Amino acid sequence: MKAIRVEEFGGPEKLVLREVADPQPGPGQLVVRIRAAGVNPVETYIRTGTYGVKLELPYTPGADGAGEVLRVGEGVSRYKPGDRVYAAGSMTGTYAEQALCAEAQVHPLPAQATFAQGAALGVPYGTAYRALFHIAHAQPAETVLVHGASGGVGTAAVQLARSRGLTVIGTAGTERGRELVQRNGAHHALDHHAPDFGNQIASLTAGGGVNIILEMLANKNLATDLQIVARFGRVVVIGNRGTIEINPRDAMTRDARILGMTLFNASPGELAVIHAALGAALESGGIHPVIGQEIPLAEAARAHQAVMEPGAYGKIVLVV
Ligand code: NAP
């Protein structure tokens, strides 16, 4: 089968297409014929070799994918060859024609979702769901600011929060992105580069601030977040690419909490809850992943460049 391989750490050009052996499932494992693979920013950080998570070379990147079950190992009871599934995690990487997965990493893909949409679920929707409901304990009627609402995690968070009855404010850096945020269900779409951003939040919340902030770029925004969050509010740090100075007094006077989170820390039980909820939401139409770009597998390097550029618009997937 064909797979993207990283044989040495470095820039996007280190993603090379190779012929490798077909994976064979052991007990409790299955092989998915991947039709689309999700591209997440973390895969670009890992590729550089300077990130906290360092994989052994050579490896195939990718945690998210969707396609049909190809082969099942002994003891696999929930799936048979031909079933439409999405993978949220894989043992061999999803930037490939085939991916070996543990049975628990695979979930049914409802007929109304495309393979590209299935490939947009694992990391983005898993992260958005965990941030909103397991970390921030979001409740209907609260107000959430999705700070970075035009990309993979942000579009997911807007849909999940809206369908749960929150008031949703989403941000994007471009007009096109803000149109997407609004069409996606946000009540208000703002520009995260606007100099009067804090005042805009104050006027939308009658001066009270937002109950929850899902922060995609904490190193830029955390200091401001602590000034626009409501009393007893929660700021969830999802994305961060550097350091920032904050005034702890802003948190102190509001009884506000800064909550870090990474999907890597979700327990198997939490992941089972998340994917049961996502499956139901897909079936009922509560969520509908937005695919911004479909790029051929062989051009994975271009996808890694694109996912780090400003002007996000939904999800970038590789078509296989
Ligand atoms: P993405 O699809 O590339 O989207 C990036 C988002 O950040 C876009 O909405 C972008 O908006 C926005 N952004 C850019 N500049 C911003 C600013 N100054 N203030 C607020 N938002 C800004 O990436 P993603 O997959 O959604 O991931 C978002 C971040 O979360 C990444 O840093 C990623 O590594 C991280 N992440 C963390 C976890 C975790 O478990 N903690 C899981 C998944 C992702 P414009 O392009 O419109 O400006």
Side-chain angles (χ1 to χ4, degrees), residues 1-4 17 19 22-25 29-37 64-72 79-87 89-90 92-101 106-107 109 114-116 118-119 296-298 318-320:
M1 66 141 178
K2 288 189 169 47
I4 293 293
L17 190 67
E19 192 65 37
D22 289 356
Q24 299 302 328
Q29 300 171 347
L30 45 86
V31 173
V32 178
R33 171 61 176 94
I34 297 290
R35 301 290 176 186
D64 294 342
E68 303 106 355
V69 173
L70 200 56
R71 292 181 285 279
V72 300
Y79 302 103
K80 59 181 188 318
D83 286 351
R84 282 165 53 87
V85 293
Y86 71 91
S90 150
T92 53
T94 55
Y95 291 16
E97 289 177 335
Q98 299 178 22
L100 181 67
C101 301
V106 172
H107 308 280
L109 184 67
T114 65
F115 290 130
L297 178 68
L318 295 169
V319 284
V320 187

Side-chain angles (χ1 to χ4, degrees), residues 39-42 45 51 123-124 127-128 130 146-155 171-174 177-178 192-193 215-217 220-221 237-241 261-264 306-316:
V39 175
N40 294 295
V42 68
Y45 318 152
Y51 187 61
V123 170
T127 301
R130 184 164 190 257
V146 181
H147 214 169
S150 49
V153 178
T155 49
T171 74
T174 64
R178 288 189 287 281
H192 41 235
H193 302 304
E215 184 52 64
M216 303 303 155
L217 201 55
K220 283 264 190 277
N221 299 323
V237 176
I238 296 176
N240 183 64
R241 293 178 180 166
M261 76 135 265
T262 166
L263 188 61
F264 292 126
V307 79
M308 295 303 283
E309 280 165 7
Y313 193 89
K315 186 73 208 165
I316 297 172

